[in-house]
Amino acid sequence: MMAFYVFAAIAVVASLLVIAQRNPIYSVLLLIASFGALSGLYVLLDAPFVAVIQIIVYAGAIMVLFLFVVMLLNAPHEDTDYDERVHPLLRPGPMRLGAVLAAALAVELWWALTRTGDSGRFPAGAVASVRAIGRSLFTDYAFPFEVTSILILVAMVGAVLLARREGRG
Amino acid sequence: MVPLNYYLVLSAMLFAIGTAGVFVRRNLITILLSVEIMLNAVNLTFVAFGRALGSGDGQIIVFFVMTVAAAEAAVGLAIVIGLFRHRESLNPDSWTVLKW
Amino acid sequence: MTPLLVAQIVLTLFVFFMLLNSAAVMVYVERKVAAFLQQRLGPYLVGPRGMLQPLADVVKLMFKEELRPRAADPLLFALAPIISATAAFAAFAVVPFGADTTLFGLLKEPLRLQVADVNVAILVIFAIASMGVYGIVLAGWSSNSKYSLLGGLRSSAQMISYELSYGTAIASVLLVANSMSLSDIVNRQAGAWFGVIPRWFFFLQPVGFLIFMTAGIAETNRAPFDFPEAEQELVAGYHTEYSSMSFAMFFLAEYINMVTVSAVATDLFLGGWHGPLLPESFGWIWFLLKVAALLFFYVWMRWTLPRYRYDQLMAFGWKVLLPLSVVNLLVTAAGVLYFGV
């Protein structure tokens, strides 16, 4: 119980800070913290494989890619003069429409959180093991699996091609 | 064990935060990070429902979502690098005119 | 507070303490072995045969002035060595180092000599190794200096490139062992064929072992793959601007990563704590001997082989080691299908 609240709090706070930070490097690091908390939530949901894959793929690979790009571009702040003085979340656009939407969201959340009623308890003992997932991945879902590998190949080739400097004949 | 609704509400909150980030921030990289937050919120929903229905399909779909997210992040960042080379700026408002 | 719980807490503290000690011992061993390989004496002044040299080193490092460049980002500068050291220690939490023991009859149920027994232990080690990259990247970036940034980026690019071969070599062992829990994998290596050749996975996967050790050396940034922290090339790479205890943390993290890679290699390929003469409850002695042999191999490699240049290093990782590890995986899969494990 406590573990859920701790992980959920970390995930939400870290995500809020991600969109509130000016410096992209801090945003990336906070997002890694959020992913760590989500990984903990997956462990609570009896999905250890997904939890570890989340750390390996998201926190360990995708975020390293983001970090590399941020360091390579070396553009730590949003760059017009106006942006330097006012915090991103306090500019006119977000303040007007955003405040309305945030209020609507808060009302909806309060409504959702107070209606716990028949809330769907998790059935005990019906857990898919890693072995079962692997088997199903290679039998029922074999076609999407192979297509995914081609997708990654296409993405790799595309990323290398798009990021090349022009004039390399 | 926490009821399923709690996980769904958490996922909705994370998704809303991600969406807010995409709309509000004027920095390409932060926008991509907010998209990743949204994808993670969806992953959490899938795993929670997979557990509630006692099937492994939730985790398998998460596997595919993660792979697609990785591919999309790679290509998105390559595009950002290419754009940055031309305009030296990460502000999406720099590209409102369709000419170099 | 059952006796088992107390024993587990003591075990956790014991593992932490022993890892710290192992780093200190490794400092001494490295300098002595390097010296003997180069036909000189090494440290011999402090204590008998120089054995108190690590103590002198630690005291010196503690008393050095802690510097921080003015342009460095203070939060990240302080965070980077913490991440490195934490990842190094955390990876050892799922490595089993001995058979279940009842501590000579003191406990009623056997205590597993592993801090956390997880069914996906191998993936956890891999995940924590991925997190260790951040310590180096952040150290390079936050120091705000040319040498550090270059060293940090190169070092982390090297680590993530060799992680692929590392993982594929592990996957080949998983195919043969049919389980992801390290304790299960070690227990499958008990016994011997024809009573003589031990049932280690090293004999079933020799290429896998070589790939694992090579990728492990590259992952821990040790020679011959230590271009990013080579003194002649980049001053000291990503830890140029660090001094005193922060430097000690990076140093510590590097040695403990070496110990972890050796321990995991022992569990996966060399039969863990199983050995001929001693009874099961003293298996940890065999474990120590095997890990010590692998650590000697590490030090030997460092002081024997010339350093790879960075582009040669990356070409080797992507164009030689990765295809080799994939072919190894395919051949292993074919073997498992044909012979049936």
Side-chain angles (χ1 to χ4, degrees):
Chain A
M1 247 339 222
M2 250 332 270
F4 172 77
Y5 288 117
V6 167
F7 286 133
I10 296 175
V12 170
V13 168
S15 302
L16 276 171
L17 287 173
V18 166
I19 67 172
Q21 281 290 331
R22 285 180 196 262
N23 189 344
I25 296 212
Y26 289 151
S27 293
V28 172
L29 293 176
L30 285 163
L31 193 57
I32 295 171
S34 176
F35 287 165
L38 276 176
S39 181
L41 285 172
Y42 291 145
V43 170
L44 286 176
L45 281 170
D46 290 318
F49 182 67
V50 174
V52 178
I53 293 288
Q54 165 98 350
I55 300 284
I56 296 177
V57 173
Y58 260 119
I62 299 180
M63 287 298 121
V64 172
L65 183 61
F66 268 99
L67 208 55
F68 271 27
V69 170
V70 171
M71 289 180 184
L72 204 64
L73 297 184
N74 201 13
H77 297 287
E78 301 179 13
D79 45 25
T80 68
D81 288 330
Y82 183 66
D83 293 342
E84 287 290 330
R85 287 189 312 237
V86 180
H87 188 272
L89 293 181
L90 294 174
R91 296 183 195 142
M95 285 301 278
R96 294 172 203 137
L97 185 59
V100 171
L101 289 177
L105 181 66
V107 167
E108 283 179 8
L109 273 177
W110 178 84
W111 181 86
L113 284 169
T114 52
R115 288 183 137 249
T116 46
D118 181 19
S119 45
R121 308 231 134 229
F122 288 109
V127 173
S129 69
V130 182
R131 190 178 292 267
I133 293 174
R135 181 157 296 146
S136 140
L137 195 61
F138 283 105
T139 52
D140 300 326
Y141 294 95
F143 179 66
F145 187 72
E146 301 300 330
V147 169
T148 311
S149 64
I150 298 183
L151 172 75
I152 296 179
L153 177 66
V154 168
M156 266 202 292
V157 172
V160 169
L161 202 61
L162 282 170
R164 250 159 68 153
R165 286 185 193 279
E166 292 177 14
R168 286 260 185 99
Chain B
M1 190 85 197
V2 178
L4 176 62
N5 276 10
Y6 287 31
Y7 284 102
L8 298 183
V9 167
L10 172 65
S11 172
M13 282 203 278
L14 287 175
F15 192 85
I17 292 172
T19 314
V22 169
F23 286 147
V24 166
R25 294 302 304 252
R26 301 284 95 207
N27 181 332
L28 286 174
I29 294 190
T30 315
I31 294 177
L32 282 174
L33 286 174
S34 309
V35 171
E36 296 297 329
I37 299 179
M38 286 199 279
L39 284 168
N40 270 286
V42 167
N43 280 351
L44 183 64
T45 310
F46 271 123
V47 174
F49 270 119
R51 175 73 179 88
L53 298 173
S55 123
D57 288 346
Q59 297 185 41
I60 293 177
I61 297 184
V62 166
F63 179 84
F64 289 123
V65 171
M66 272 189 209
T67 319
V68 170
E72 160 246 325
V75 176
L77 287 170
I79 294 178
V80 166
I81 292 180
L83 285 173
F84 185 79
R85 285 217 186 100
H86 275 282
R87 205 52 81 88
E88 291 291 324
S89 152
L90 281 176
N91 193 333
D93 295 331
S94 308
W95 290 282
T96 52
V97 182
L98 276 181
K99 69 189 239 314
W100 291 127
Chain C
M1 267 313 207
T2 68
L4 191 63
L5 185 61
V6 171
Q8 279 170 339
I9 295 176
V10 169
L11 178 70
T12 310
L13 293 172
F14 175 73
V15 166
F16 184 73
F17 183 64
M18 290 310 284
L19 280 178
L20 282 176
N21 276 352
S22 72
V25 168
M26 276 307 296
V27 169
Y28 174 71
V29 163
E30 168 131 37
R31 291 176 66 170
K32 268 302 203 195
V33 170
F36 286 163
L37 284 172
Q38 294 171 343
Q39 294 204 319
R40 55 186 174 86
L41 277 181
Y44 63 92
L45 286 174
V46 189
R49 292 181 183 271
M51 278 194 238
L52 291 181
Q53 182 68 37
L55 189 61
D57 281 341
V58 168
V59 170
K60 175 201 80 168
L61 279 174
M62 277 202 295
F63 282 113
K64 262 194 171 180
E65 182 188 354
E66 181 90 38
L67 289 169
R68 180 176 77 77
R70 196 184 317 175
D73 188 329
L75 176 66
L76 297 181
F77 195 77
L79 192 61
I82 297 176
I83 295 180
S84 265
T86 309
F89 279 103
F92 205 86
V94 293
V95 174
F97 55 91
D100 290 0
T101 170
T102 57
L103 287 180
F104 309 111
L106 280 176
L107 297 170
K108 289 194 210 54
E109 309 136 11
L111 167 71
R112 171 72 51 88
L113 282 181
Q114 185 181 15
V115 173
D117 188 15
V118 186
N119 328 3
V120 288
I122 289 200
L123 289 182
V124 169
I125 291 181
F126 195 55
I128 299 179
S130 312
M131 295 307 289
V133 176
Y134 285 112
I136 295 180
V137 164
L138 289 178
W141 171 259
S142 65
S143 306
N144 219 341
S145 109
K146 286 187 283 294
Y147 296 121
S148 304
L149 184 60
L150 268 183
L153 286 177
R154 280 179 171 174
S155 180
S156 44
Q158 169 189 330
M159 283 173 83
I160 60 181
S161 310
Y162 280 87
E163 259 172 26
L164 293 170
S165 318
Y166 195 73
T168 317
I170 291 179
S172 320
V173 172
L174 289 182
L175 274 181
V176 177
N178 227 353
S179 159
M180 279 202 270
S181 157
L182 272 174
S183 314
D184 279 348
I185 293 180
V186 175
N187 286 330
R188 267 173 221 274
Q189 301 182 59
W193 291 303
F194 314 117
V196 167
I197 307 175
R199 239 181 241 282
W200 294 348
F201 287 149
F202 170 72
F203 298 109
L204 291 175
Q205 289 274 301
V207 178
F209 178 66
L210 288 176
I211 295 174
F212 187 84
M213 285 310 291
T214 310
I217 296 181
E219 277 283 305
T220 50
N221 275 329
R222 294 275 299 181
F225 299 112
D226 68 345
F227 191 88
E229 55 181 49
E231 276 115 25
Q232 295 86 343
E233 263 83 26
L234 278 175
V235 185
Y238 59 90
H239 49 75
T240 309
E241 304 287 343
Y242 284 90
S243 61
S244 173
M245 283 317 281
S246 318
F247 176 71
M249 297 265 245
F250 280 119
F251 212 49
L252 189 71
E254 180 169 318
Y255 280 121
I256 294 183
N257 275 329
M258 274 170 62
V259 171
T260 305
V261 169
S262 305
V264 172
T266 306
D267 275 341
L268 287 179
F269 293 98
L270 296 181
W273 59 81
H274 294 294
L277 300 166
L278 296 167
E280 275 294 304
S281 53
F282 285 103
W284 51 271
I285 297 183
W286 275 115
F287 185 81
L288 274 178
L289 287 174
K290 292 174 193 174
V291 171
L294 286 177
L295 286 172
F296 175 72
F297 175 73
Y298 252 105
V299 177
W300 185 22
M301 285 298 110
R302 176 175 181 179
W303 295 102
T304 312
L305 295 175
R307 183 176 287 135
Y308 268 93
R309 209 176 56 221
Y310 187 68
D311 58 320
Q312 292 170 333
L313 190 163
M314 294 298 273
F316 179 72
W318 286 99
K319 297 186 199 165
V320 173
L321 209 61
L322 184 60
L324 187 63
S325 61
V326 169
V327 167
N328 179 39
L329 183 66
L330 288 174
V331 169
T332 308
V336 165
L337 260 184
Y338 184 66
F339 293 110
V341 175

